[in-house]
């Protein structure tokens, strides 16, 4: 039952800025589902204008004559347009266009993580002052509903930790390495040939993309101002096939996790490869799928799973926001994020976790005692140890008890100076 029975649908003219991977399927969805959306929600969407960079480029959707323009500002300024969708990406001109739309009290829907992770607070505050919506479901996990559950369903919940696999490219690469034993380079080349990874994969594989998403999740989950620059991040390029094999044998799988937690009034927000126990729901998230695991005091554990990117899934999330914005416009209301408070960002040195460490060592008596002595000196206690290989191939694999990051880093520093240690290999945090 909807709240519009017996009334004519509310006609809403939409200006879409960008008609690329997300914009084009969005136009298609609006055109195909227009009457169904009107019947279910009482809102009839019309694509009134679509702004692009190049007028001559071939488009994958049919646009009515006169709709396409290369003048995005004219779309924002058109008084007959009710709602703006920004799917251009990047900082400028997206930032100025959104600010201009909000200043004239037009609701805005965007999927722009880069913008929100850097100047989200500024835009949320502009939307709040204007009393209109700024909705961004698509910015964090593509088609997976996450922002609305965090903002609405869980608004009264005390969230303690959010852990997410929020980058499909790295999850694809790690899945290939885990399941087929291939090297990082081989899995990356495959991801590139399938179009999952860019030719320059840095933003994905070094954790920048996941870091931007972690900043947005932290802002929404804790109502605090967290920007991309606050996020500690490490990528996956140093993970070896041997690490994957050890992880498997020990009962873990390696995943690139964004971890956002509230500890004693501080917010910890970091992205790094992590050893996830095989029994944890995040361990079963394979290929380019994404998932976000939310831990709340009263609600317990929740997991949101699905396609974290791709044109159609992302357009689906944008469309949901668009219908919400149009409905709120009709009711003369808005769902504002409001003002984000300043919070202490916990430095990575204060993070606590169990750790996995892999050392290449000399194969001779006394090595273990020397290595164990370094751990002990820094208060890092060893939970499990295995020796692997002999002679030049000798390795020691350690899992520690929960320790402080600063102590573990000091341990690594001293291990590098030990003459029986040939190489300090990968360090991974173990999730519990
Ligand atoms: N793709 C995904 O899977 C995905 C997932 C989640 C979030 N997002 C976010 O969604 C946004 C759009 O991503 P996308 O993949 O659709 O990007 P895209 O394929 O590169 O499309 C960008 C569109 O913006 C247009 N454009 C660029 N500069 C413009 C300007 N100055 N004025 C008007 N139009 C301009 C381009 O025009 P031309 O077509 O003429 O070049 C193109 O149509 C980004 O913020 C991205 O982070 C994307």
């Amino acid at each position: 039952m909807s709240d519009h029975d017996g009334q004519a649908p509310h006609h809403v003219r939409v200006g879409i800025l960008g008609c690329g991977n997300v914009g084009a399927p969005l136009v298609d969805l609006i055109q195909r589902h227009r009457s169904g959306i009107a019947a279910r929600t009482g809102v009839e969407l019309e694509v009134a204008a679509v702004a692009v960079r190049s007028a001559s480029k071939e488009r994958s959707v049919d646009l009515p004559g006169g709709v396409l323009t290369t003048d995005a500002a004219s779309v924002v300024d058109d008084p007959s347009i009710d709602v703006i969708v920004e799917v251009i990406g990047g900082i400028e001109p997206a930032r100025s266009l959104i600010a201009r739309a909000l200043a004239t009290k037009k609701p805005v829907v965007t999927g722009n993580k880069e913008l929100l992770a850097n100047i989200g607070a500024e835009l949320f505050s502009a939307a709040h002052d204007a009393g209109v919506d700024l909705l961004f479901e698509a910015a964090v996990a593509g088609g997976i509903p996450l922002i609305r559950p965090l903002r609405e369903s869980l608004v009264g919940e005390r969230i303690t930790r959010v852990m997410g696999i929020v980058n499909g490219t790295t999850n694809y690469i790690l899945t290939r390495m885990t399941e087929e034993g291939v090297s990082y380079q081989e899995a990356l080349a495959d991801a590139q040939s399938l179009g999952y990874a860019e030719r320059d994969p840095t933003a994905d594989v070094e954790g920048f993309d996941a870091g931007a998403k972690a900043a947005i999740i932290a802002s929404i989950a804790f109502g605090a101002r967290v920007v991309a620059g606050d996020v500690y991040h490490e990528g996956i390029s140093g993970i070896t096939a041997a690490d994957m094999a050890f992880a498997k044998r020990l009962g873990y799988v390696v995943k690139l996790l964004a971890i956002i937690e509230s500890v004693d009034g501080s917010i910890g927000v970091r992205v790094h490869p992590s050893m996830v126990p095989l029994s944890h729901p995040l361990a079963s998230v394979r290929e380019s799928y994404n998932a976000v695991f939310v831990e709340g005091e009263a609600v317990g554990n929740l997991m949101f799973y699905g396609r974290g990117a791709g044109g159609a899934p992302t357009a689906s999330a944008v469309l949901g926001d668009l219908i919400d914005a149009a409905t709120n416009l009709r009711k003369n209301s808005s769902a504002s994020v409001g003002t984000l408070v300043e919070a202490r960002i916990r430095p990575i040195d204060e993070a606590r976790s169990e750790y996995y460490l892999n050392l290449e060592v000399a194969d001779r008596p006394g090595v273990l005692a020397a290595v164990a002595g370094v751990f002990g000196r820094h208060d890092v206690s060893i939970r499990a140890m295995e020796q692997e290989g002999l002679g030049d191939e000798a390795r020691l694999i350690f899992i520690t008890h929960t320790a402080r990051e600063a102590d573990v880093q000091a341990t690594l520093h001293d291990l590098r100076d030990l003459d029986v240690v040939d190489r300090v290999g990968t360090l991974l945090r173990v999730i519990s």
Side-chain angles (χ1 to χ4, degrees), residues 18-22 52-54 57 59 87 89 111-113 310 314:
C19 191
N21 289 321
V22 180
V52 291
R53 190 170 29 197
S54 155
K57 207 188 238 182
R59 304 284 156 193
V87 277
N112 194 329
K113 59 189 157 266
T314 307

Side-chain angles (χ1 to χ4, degrees), residues 152-163:
E152 295 179 9
S153 323
L154 299 171
V155 67
E157 178 63 41
R158 207 181 159 113
I159 291 168
T160 49
R161 182 166 71 162
V162 180
M163 295 195 292

Side-chain angles (χ1 to χ4, degrees), residues 3 5 61 68 82 99 117 213 260 268 292 295 342 363 375 396:
D3 60 358
D5 295 330
V61 280
L68 202 69
D82 304 300
K213 293 166 177 173
I260 299 108
V292 180
E295 299 170 11
E342 295 295 333
D363 188 12
F375 277 88
L396 294 177

Side-chain angles (χ1 to χ4, degrees), residues 159-281:
I159 291 168
T160 49
R161 182 166 71 162
V162 180
M163 295 195 292
I165 294 171
V166 289
N167 181 274
T169 307
T170 44
N171 205 44
Y172 174 81
I173 292 171
L174 293 172
T175 303
R176 292 287 319 276
M177 291 176 72
T178 302
E179 296 181 5
E180 290 161 47
V182 299
S183 70
Y184 165 76
Q185 286 304 342
E186 204 177 322
L188 170 62
D190 265 10
Q192 285 169 319
S193 70
L194 288 167
Y196 289 157
E198 308 272 339
R199 203 151 353 127
D200 174 2
T202 312
D204 291 319
V205 300
E206 297 305 339
F208 290 97
D209 173 79
K213 293 166 177 173
I216 300 171
I217 295 174
S219 303
I220 302 309
F222 300 123
R225 190 184 179 110
V226 180
V227 296
D230 292 327
V231 183
Y232 172 84
H233 62 93
E234 279 175 24
I236 62 163
S237 54
I239 308 281
T240 64
D243 293 322
M244 294 304 212
F246 289 132
K248 204 177 203 171
R249 220 175 53 211
L250 296 165
Y252 296 91
V253 62
V254 179
K255 296 287 182 192
L256 183 71
L257 293 190
I259 303 177
I260 299 108
E261 54 194 345
S262 166
V263 184
D264 301 331
S266 300
I267 295 175
V269 49
R270 54 206 168 100
V271 170
H272 50 64
S274 310
M275 301 242 295
V276 178
L278 287 170
S279 56
H280 193 287

Side-chain angles (χ1 to χ4, degrees), residues 27-78:
V27 170
D28 176 56
L29 284 175
I30 295 174
Q31 288 176 342
R32 281 193 296 119
H33 297 176
R34 184 175 169 155
S35 58
I37 292 168
R40 287 178 66 187
T41 67
V43 167
E44 185 174 37
L45 299 172
E46 176 197 348
V47 178
V50 175
V52 291
R53 190 170 29 197
S54 155
S56 55
K57 207 188 238 182
E58 206 170 307
R59 304 284 156 193
S60 56
V61 280
D62 289 330
L63 293 167
V67 160
L68 202 69
T69 173
T70 54
D71 184 358
S74 73
V75 176
V76 173
D77 291 342
D78 181 341

